[in-house]
Amino acid sequence: MTGSLRAAITGVGSAVPKRVVPNAEFEKTLDTSDEWITKRTGIKERRLVSEGETTATLAAEAGRKAMENAGITAGDLDLIICATVSPEMPMPSTACFIQEILGATDVPAFDISAACSGFVYGLSVASQFIETGKYKRILMIGADCLSQVADFTDRGSCILFGDGAGAVVLEPTSEPDKGVLYSVMHANGGGWDYIHVPAGGSRAPTTLETIDQKQHFVKMRGRDVYKFAVEKMQWLLGDCMEKCNITVDDVDMVVPHQVNIRIIESATEKYNFPMEKVFLNIDRMGNTSGASIPLALDEAVRQGKIGPGSTVMFVAFGAGLTWAGAVVKM
Ligand SMILES: CC(C)(COP(=O)(O)OP(=O)(O)OC[C@H]1O[C@@H](n2cnc3c(N)ncnc32)[C@H](O)[C@@H]1OP(=O)(O)O)[C@@H](O)C(=O)NCCC(=O)NCCS
């Protein structure tokens, strides 16, 4: 029987910080403008954490809402996975903090590090546990607070990031054509320096110099990332449709990594995806990394743009370099 099981998304939830930071805030400290940021990225504002808000608190709130939406409680969980590259602490995992906040005593918990592809990587990993029958209820969360590792003197990167968390509950279904129909993951470590935080790990442990030289902040080759992102998003859209034997007409909604409106438009134009089939919240959220896709998914569900029976495609890419996609029938 386990051979016919698929992982279905039975609950969604999200959480964002209270503080709204419009583009105009950056005009006060950087040589930039609301007009430049809006035109080049599609971002108008983002949410950034303040006192008392962290990756784990946002993740736990998103997780709690997803469980409520699925009609389950922490006691029902078999596994918690958190995709993040801005963890609560370097050690232990953010998933363990989430487990503690939710009161999911003894439930296994671990993190996935695949940057902006993290949630889709996690969806693929979690699906395997469900398909094999190993676990029945998995809380899969994407959460990031990149504002905590962003260099607010670097106008080429800090304007992009927002903080937040999104979560789904995954449960088995044996209904045909429901759940995670397809998932794909890729990586190219040769591009590690496209987006990275140089210090704080074993290669460059924390010293006064690494702090002084701002080596604990995100370094990004923006233009190179842009080209990589368009190429991989196009490839993922094509691969997902080909492997599932579907066309643009069969897809109800693409939920792309909310990276940059120009990247998303360039990629989706290749297949003539009408923009009403592409869910966007980048104007209000910015790039929330691992949270981006589940946060957008939750909004799309709450707005009634995605519902039972919808065929949804997730496409993501990020530091690593990593890229990942999935096709889900809700
Ligand atoms: C970062 C990004 C918005 C820059 O936009 P762009 O159109 O590629 O701009 P460029 O890097 O070519 O820079 C053009 C000019 O704008 C300037 N610029 C960069 N950031 C700016 C800002 N916030 N405000 C004003 N000017 C800015 C550059 O310094 C450059 O000036 P120059 O021509 O005098 O050298 C864009 O490359 C991007 O979105 N890349 C992907 C990054 C990303 O999404 N990373 C996360 C991936 S998961």
Side-chain angles (χ1 to χ4, degrees), residues 32 36 40 116 155-156 220 222-223 225 257 259-260 262 287:
T32 190
W36 192 96
R40 299 292 184 110
C116 304
R155 67 177 182 173
M220 191 183 75
R223 227 172 285 185
V225 174
H257 171 38
V259 57
N260 178 321
R262 287 157 51 215
N287 175 352

Side-chain angles (χ1 to χ4, degrees), residues 170-189:
L170 294 165
E171 297 185 68
T173 178
S174 45
E175 275 182 55
D177 293 333
K178 187 172 171 169
V180 180
L181 306 181
Y182 174 68
S183 64
V184 60
M185 300 183 279
H186 282 287
N188 173 10

Side-chain angles (χ1 to χ4, degrees), residues 57-132:
T57 63
L58 293 174
E61 194 185 331
R64 191 177 290 119
K65 289 179 184 165
M67 287 193 295
E68 264 170 36
N69 188 233
I72 66 165
T73 64
D76 298 319
L77 289 176
D78 295 318
L79 177 66
I80 299 169
I81 304 176
C82 181
T84 186
V85 282
S86 45
E88 193 76 356
M89 293 179 190
M91 182 167 61
S93 72
T94 301
C96 283
F97 284 100
I98 298 166
Q99 188 240 42
E100 203 259 333
I101 298 170
L102 293 177
T105 316
D106 290 347
V107 171
F110 63 86
D111 287 0
I112 284 184
S113 175
C116 304
S117 313
F119 175 79
V120 186
Y121 259 64
L123 194 67
S124 190
V125 171
S127 299
Q128 312 306 309
F129 283 114
I130 301 236
E131 287 169 15
T132 58

Side-chain angles (χ1 to χ4, degrees), residues 52 104 140 152 162 198 203 240 242 257 299 311 322:
M140 176 65 231
F152 283 94
R203 186 178 292 197
C240 284
E242 187 193 322
H257 171 38
E299 269 195 33
T311 300
T322 55

Side-chain angles (χ1 to χ4, degrees), residues 41-322:
T41 70
I43 301 166
K44 296 290 294 175
E45 60 186 38
R46 71 286 293 140
R47 301 292 188 107
L48 300 186
V49 285
S50 45
E51 191 71 30
E53 295 170 326
T54 66
T55 303
T57 63
L58 293 174
E61 194 185 331
R64 191 177 290 119
K65 289 179 184 165
M67 287 193 295
E68 264 170 36
N69 188 233
I72 66 165
T73 64
D76 298 319
L77 289 176
D78 295 318
L79 177 66
I80 299 169
I81 304 176
C82 181
T84 186
V85 282
S86 45
E88 193 76 356
M89 293 179 190
M91 182 167 61
S93 72
T94 301
C96 283
F97 284 100
I98 298 166
Q99 188 240 42
E100 203 259 333
I101 298 170
L102 293 177
T105 316
D106 290 347
V107 171
F110 63 86
D111 287 0
I112 284 184
S113 175
C116 304
S117 313
F119 175 79
V120 186
Y121 259 64
L123 194 67
S124 190
V125 171
S127 299
Q128 312 306 309
F129 283 114
I130 301 236
E131 287 169 15
T132 58
K134 169 88 175 165
Y135 292 130
K136 286 198 165 54
R137 291 194 182 95
I138 300 178
L139 183 59
M140 176 65 231
I141 305 172
D144 266 307
C145 293
L146 284 189
S147 67
Q148 304 308 86
V149 284
D151 178 354
F152 283 94
T153 64
D154 175 13
R155 67 177 182 173
S157 62
C158 71
I159 50 111
L160 298 172
F161 305 128
D163 302 332
V168 297
V169 172
L170 294 165
E171 297 185 68
T173 178
S174 45
E175 275 182 55
D177 293 333
K178 187 172 171 169
V180 180
L181 306 181
Y182 174 68
S183 64
V184 60
M185 300 183 279
H186 282 287
N188 173 10
W192 67 268
D193 66 337
Y194 277 43
I195 320 171
H196 69 294
V197 176
S202 62
R203 186 178 292 197
T206 309
T207 62
L208 287 176
E209 283 75 32
T210 61
I211 295 169
D212 203 39
Q213 293 163 5
K214 298 185 176 174
Q215 298 292 305
H216 297 267
F217 293 139
V218 174
K219 311 284 175 199
M220 191 183 75
R221 291 163 44 188
R223 227 172 285 185
D224 293 330
V225 174
Y226 191 100
K227 285 185 214 141
F228 153 77
V230 172
E231 184 199 323
K232 294 309 178 196
M233 194 184 259
Q234 285 179 344
W235 184 86
L236 286 163
L237 290 168
D239 178 68
C240 284
M241 288 193 286
E242 187 193 322
K243 295 291 177 5
C244 292
N245 199 20
I246 56 175
T247 67
V248 171
D249 290 343
D250 302 311
V251 178
D252 293 300
M253 196 62 79
V254 178
V255 182
H257 171 38
Q258 304 291 310
V259 57
N260 178 321
I261 187 69
R262 287 157 51 215
I263 293 175
I264 295 169
E265 283 173 353
S266 302
T268 50
E269 265 166 21
K270 178 174 174 176
Y271 299 97
N272 296 320
F273 268 101
M275 283 316 277
E276 44 303 352
K277 282 194 179 194
V278 181
F279 190 81
L280 298 169
N281 65 2
I282 186 167
D283 56 328
R284 287 170 293 109
M285 295 297 162
N287 175 352
T288 57
S289 188
S292 163
I293 286 181
L295 183 55
L297 172 67
D298 181 48
E299 269 195 33
V301 169
R302 280 190 284 116
Q303 290 175 17
K305 292 185 173 166
I306 292 177
S310 299
T311 300
V312 182
M313 269 167 53
F314 300 133
V315 283
F317 40 79
L321 299 165
T322 55

